[in-house]
Amino acid sequence: MTVQVVAMDWKWLFLYPEEKIAVVNEVAFPVDRPVEFLVTSQSTMNSFFIPKLGGQIYAMAGMENRMNLMGTEIGEYRGISANYSGFGFAGMRFKAKVTSEEDFGKWVESVKASGQVLTDAEYDRLIEKTRDHKVEYFSSIDPLQFKNIIESFIGSQNGSN
């Protein structure tokens, strides 16, 4: 399973390319299923960290880093930014939910039921600096969103932005 992670000021955006959904400040995945996190930043360098599940990796604009995790016990775990990134840093937290396969399917359906689409306008709203941002669900995303975020800093292969 792949989850794309974008560090923002001061929130986390989780993109699920296979499910075509996105969530702010909450990530979920089934127990005993390996998850590959692809991590980048929309702005300043940050650090993606779920202490009880192990692993910490930097998020940097224009770069993609990879981290693999697997939750072996159902539960809710604290996710944090482990790198100071300004005045909203203290509230840059998220919930990591390790669920049964069935509950993960229900979670995906609840995200899809939100009806909120991650359009360019919505993305522009998300990149605004906020503190203690609440969880938001997006029922539909551009499958190239993660790639486009990275390329906004480095440009595409053909030289156009």
Side-chain angles (χ1 to χ4, degrees), residues 31-46:
V31 67
D32 295 327
R33 188 190 297 180
V35 181
E36 180 178 45
F37 290 96
L38 308 180
V39 182
T40 195
S41 176
Q42 186 282 321
S43 61
T44 189
M45 189 168 94
N46 223 301

Side-chain angles (χ1 to χ4, degrees), residues 3-133:
V3 178
Q4 299 165 330
V5 181
V6 182
M8 299 178 143
D9 293 324
W10 289 278
K11 62 192 114 359
W12 294 97
L13 175 64
F14 298 97
L15 304 163
Y16 289 76
E18 289 127 10
E19 292 79 10
K20 298 179 179 71
I21 60 172
V23 180
V24 175
N25 286 342
E26 183 178 277
V27 63
F29 46 93
V31 67
D32 295 327
R33 188 190 297 180
V35 181
E36 180 178 45
F37 290 96
L38 308 180
V39 182
T40 195
S41 176
Q42 186 282 321
S43 61
T44 189
M45 189 168 94
N46 223 301
S47 182
F48 176 75
F49 189 27
I50 307 172
K52 294 272 184 179
L53 296 180
Q56 174 182 353
I57 196 160
Y58 283 106
M60 295 174 276
M63 295 183 67
E64 174 188 301
N65 285 325
R66 296 172 182 235
M67 182 173 74
N68 295 290
L69 287 179
M70 185 169 70
T72 58
E73 292 183 28
I74 290 175
E76 191 170 290
Y77 302 88
R78 180 176 59 112
I80 61 172
S81 165
N83 192 68
Y84 181 75
S85 59
F87 77 93
F89 159 79
M92 193 171 173
R93 299 175 185 184
F94 62 93
K95 294 176 188 173
K97 296 180 174 186
V98 179
T99 67
S100 67
E101 284 284 346
E102 180 182 345
D103 286 344
F104 177 72
K106 290 177 184 175
W107 180 83
V108 169
E109 289 308 312
S110 71
V111 174
K112 288 184 177 186
S114 74
Q116 191 172 358
V117 177
L118 186 58
T119 62
D120 289 342
E122 282 294 306
Y123 184 78
D124 288 345
R125 178 185 62 81
L126 285 177
I127 63 175
E128 295 296 320
K129 294 179 180 187
T130 59
R131 292 181 71 180
D132 302 312
H133 199 95

